[in-house]
């Protein structure tokens, strides 16, 4: 994909930027996946299960659209009533903020399963961005 510059020439910067951004998200996804596995190995099955559950959980927001007539939706469109839930579950700032709060919290807060779950959640978001799935418009379409 290339863009047309005002002079009429095309520049490949858009496609390069997209590929670089997706590659960065993939590296991020692999990092959080490895961190989640490490937490599971170091802290047992509960941490591993929490990481796996939160790796899958953000896509359960699709269930908020159950009951929508599929004929009214276009291909790739999420039912509009599910969009706020989907977007909230797919914003990286939320698990990052929770992770920061966890790490800055009191020393008696030792819940490795929670940290592993946050790693799994960040891995999910990162994989989605790496494969081209981002936040949705209020109508339910992928944002450009």
């Amino acid at each position: 994909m290339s863009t047309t510059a005002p002079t009429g020439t095309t520049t490949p910067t858009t496609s390069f930027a997209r590929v670089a951004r997706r590659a960065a998200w993939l590296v991020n996804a692999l990092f959080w996946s490895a961190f989640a596995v490490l937490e599971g190995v170091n802290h047992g099955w509960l941490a591993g299960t929490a990481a796996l559950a939160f790796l899958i959980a953000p896509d359960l927001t699709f269930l908020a659209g159950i009951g929508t007539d599929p004929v009214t939706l276009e291909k790739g469109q999420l039912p509009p009533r599910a969009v706020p839930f989907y977007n909230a579950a797919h914003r990286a700032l939320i698990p990052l903020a929770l992770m920061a709060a966890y790490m800055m919290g009191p020393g008696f807060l030792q819940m490795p399963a929670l940290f592993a779950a946050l790693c799994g959640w960040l891995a999910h978001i990162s994989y989605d961005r790496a494969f081209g799935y981002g936040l949705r418009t209020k109508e339910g379409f992928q944002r450009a």
Side-chain angles (χ1 to χ4, degrees):
M1 173 181 242
S2 61
T3 59
T4 303
T7 60
T9 60
T10 59
T11 57
T13 56
T14 303
S15 63
F16 175 76
R18 177 181 292 165
V19 169
R21 189 171 36 251
R22 285 190 181 181
W25 276 111
L26 183 59
V27 168
N28 199 30
L30 294 172
F31 170 80
W32 289 115
S33 297
F35 211 147
V37 168
L38 180 66
E39 288 295 305
V41 168
N42 286 341
H43 299 288
W45 68 270
L46 185 58
T49 303
L52 183 60
F54 273 74
L55 183 66
I56 298 166
D59 281 343
L60 295 179
T61 57
F62 288 124
L63 297 176
I66 288 181
T68 303
D69 185 14
V71 175
T72 62
L73 299 175
E74 294 181 33
K75 184 177 179 183
Q77 182 182 13
L78 185 65
R81 71 171 174 229
V83 170
F85 303 107
Y86 178 89
N87 283 347
H90 287 82
R91 290 196 185 277
L93 189 57
I94 296 171
L96 282 172
L98 291 171
M99 192 174 281
Y102 174 86
M103 292 189 312
M104 297 297 179
F108 64 86
L109 183 65
Q110 295 297 322
M111 296 173 29
L114 175 60
F115 189 77
L118 293 171
C119 290
W121 190 1
L122 282 166
H124 176 96
I125 294 168
S126 300
Y127 280 118
D128 273 1
R129 297 296 194 288
F131 297 128
Y133 300 107
L135 299 176
R136 303 285 183 132
T137 63
K138 66 180 180 177
E139 294 82 21
F141 295 103
Q142 287 288 327
R143 290 185 183 172

